[in-house]
Amino acid sequence: MHIPDGFISIPVAGATSLVSAVALVIACKRSQEELGMRSAPILGLTTAFIFAAQMINFPVAGGTSGHLLGGTLAAIVLGSPWAAMLSMSTVFIIQAVLFADGGITALGANILNAAIISVWVGWVLTQTIQRLLGGSKGRLPLAAGIAAAISIVVVAIVCALQLAISGTAPINIVLPAMTGVHILIGIGEGLITGGVLVYLAKARPDLLPGEQQQFQAWLVPVVTIFLIAGVLSLVASGWPDGLEKVAEDLDFIGLADEVRVQVLTPFADYEHESLGLIGTSIAGLLGAIVSFGAAFGIAKVVKPKNA
């Protein structure tokens, strides 16, 4: 759900950028109280995984595709919505600057929607649903999966409101269009989120928050991230994602070309004109490495005051 340049008005872009900036400053301060010694590698790996996973578009009905957003998953793995905000924001900044994925002028809106709202909706709903299911840790994947699915729909509604306020499309048309397609994408989000948490609980509990747990080994998570970014990205669905499909159907897709802020990058749209498919693999691997490095650095800077 990467909003490109031109889809939202300057006032909406400015307001969402201001809200996002304030929220991230608060997240940095709160993370000083929550991030522990294990946080640097976990934050780095989580951010790299989210970046890689977002490259894998899966097909849904009507010639539309979706991909994992990851806000709920990041919050659960990191054990903190504040740290998840930093992780998700890092992904969206890297995507916009290095790969021209999401508009520069819309970066504040994208962070607000996908790195703040999705994280908090997913986190709060997960805690609530898990309590309703009895509070068992074994029910966490189910609770998180349901919460993740709902969070996608909530973000789609917020995005539709931003488009309507910007005058891009009438609210009575864009709201049902965005909600309908993202209900289907949300189902995929929920299944992936729940599946990843089931795997981690059984195979790599050290990657989940818990008492007396220490991060153990790098090989499996690093290889997994590289396989997703460098190999599975080659078989991602080429169909337009939910927002792009709605923009095509409602005939405002051309706004992205009219107001596009040019980003000087050789890997725009995760491609390289002279490398073919290999360019996509290189872009995926590069993005995963940069995502890890940036998040690892953030964890070292935004560390507990008594560390």
Side-chain angles (χ1 to χ4, degrees), residues 135-207:
S136 169
K137 288 185 178 181
R139 302 290 177 88
L140 176 60
L142 176 60
I146 296 172
I150 295 174
S151 74
I152 296 301
V153 179
V154 172
V155 172
I157 292 172
V158 173
C159 181
L161 292 174
Q162 292 166 350
L163 294 172
I165 294 171
S166 299
T168 303
I171 186 64
N172 62 319
I173 297 177
V174 72
L175 180 58
M178 285 290 290
T179 303
V181 69
H182 284 92
I183 288 175
L184 300 176
I185 295 173
I187 293 173
E189 176 92 9
L191 292 173
I192 295 172
T193 299
V196 171
L197 290 175
V198 167
Y199 168 78
L200 292 178
K202 293 181 178 180
R204 292 301 304 270
D206 59 300
L207 293 176

Side-chain angles (χ1 to χ4, degrees), residues 71-82 84 118-137 139-148 150 197 209:
T72 303
L73 180 61
I76 300 303
V77 170
L78 295 171
S80 164
W82 302 108
S118 77
V119 166
W120 279 98
V121 170
W123 174 260
V124 172
L125 283 179
T126 297
Q127 309 306 311
T128 303
I129 295 172
Q130 192 177 14
R131 284 196 296 269
L132 293 175
L133 294 175
S136 169
K137 288 185 178 181
R139 302 290 177 88
L140 176 60
L142 176 60
I146 296 172
I150 295 174
L197 290 175

Side-chain angles (χ1 to χ4, degrees), residues 6-282:
F7 276 21
I8 57 175
S9 65
I10 293 177
V12 171
T16 53
S17 295
L18 178 61
V19 173
S20 295
V22 172
L24 291 179
V25 170
I26 296 173
C28 288
K29 293 182 178 179
R30 291 298 299 269
S31 293
Q32 286 185 318
E33 304 170 3
E34 298 180 352
L35 292 178
M37 296 302 294
R38 69 188 293 274
S39 297
I42 301 300
L43 186 65
L45 289 171
T46 300
T47 305
F49 177 83
I50 296 297
F51 174 90
Q54 286 195 8
M55 294 185 67
I56 314 300
N57 281 53
F58 51 84
V60 296
T64 309
S65 71
H67 60 71
L68 178 76
L69 189 60
T72 303
L73 180 61
I76 300 303
V77 170
L78 295 171
S80 164
W82 302 108
M85 285 171 56
L86 299 180
S87 175
M88 295 291 293
S89 298
T90 300
V91 170
F92 275 82
I93 292 171
I94 290 172
Q95 288 172 334
V97 174
L98 293 185
F99 303 101
D101 187 11
I104 296 298
T105 59
L107 184 57
N110 285 325
I111 289 176
L112 174 62
N113 297 348
I116 300 174
I117 294 176
S118 77
V119 166
W120 279 98
V121 170
W123 174 260
V124 172
L125 283 179
T126 297
Q127 309 306 311
T128 303
I129 295 172
Q130 192 177 14
R131 284 196 296 269
L132 293 175
L133 294 175
S136 169
K137 288 185 178 181
R139 302 290 177 88
L140 176 60
L142 176 60
I146 296 172
I150 295 174
S151 74
I152 296 301
V153 179
V154 172
V155 172
I157 292 172
V158 173
C159 181
L161 292 174
Q162 292 166 350
L163 294 172
I165 294 171
S166 299
T168 303
I171 186 64
N172 62 319
I173 297 177
V174 72
L175 180 58
M178 285 290 290
T179 303
V181 69
H182 284 92
I183 288 175
L184 300 176
I185 295 173
I187 293 173
E189 176 92 9
L191 292 173
I192 295 172
T193 299
V196 171
L197 290 175
V198 167
Y199 168 78
L200 292 178
K202 293 181 178 180
R204 292 301 304 270
D206 59 300
L207 293 176
L208 292 173
E211 297 181 1
Q212 305 302 322
Q213 291 182 345
Q214 297 293 327
F215 178 66
Q216 297 173 354
W218 292 84
L219 181 61
V220 173
V222 169
V223 169
T224 300
I225 291 169
F226 279 6
L227 285 175
I228 294 173
V231 179
L232 293 183
S233 61
L234 301 178
V235 297
S237 173
W239 288 349
D241 64 20
L243 175 58
E244 186 179 0
K245 179 63 174 176
V246 169
E248 290 178 355
D249 291 344
L250 301 187
D251 199 27
F252 62 84
I253 189 68
L255 293 175
D257 295 323
E258 293 178 7
V259 195
R260 184 169 186 173
V261 176
Q262 295 295 327
V263 178
L264 299 178
T265 172
F267 291 102
D269 298 322
Y270 308 100
E271 298 175 349
H272 192 286
E273 58 182 11
S274 63
L275 296 177
L277 287 177
I278 297 179
T280 300
S281 293
I282 294 175

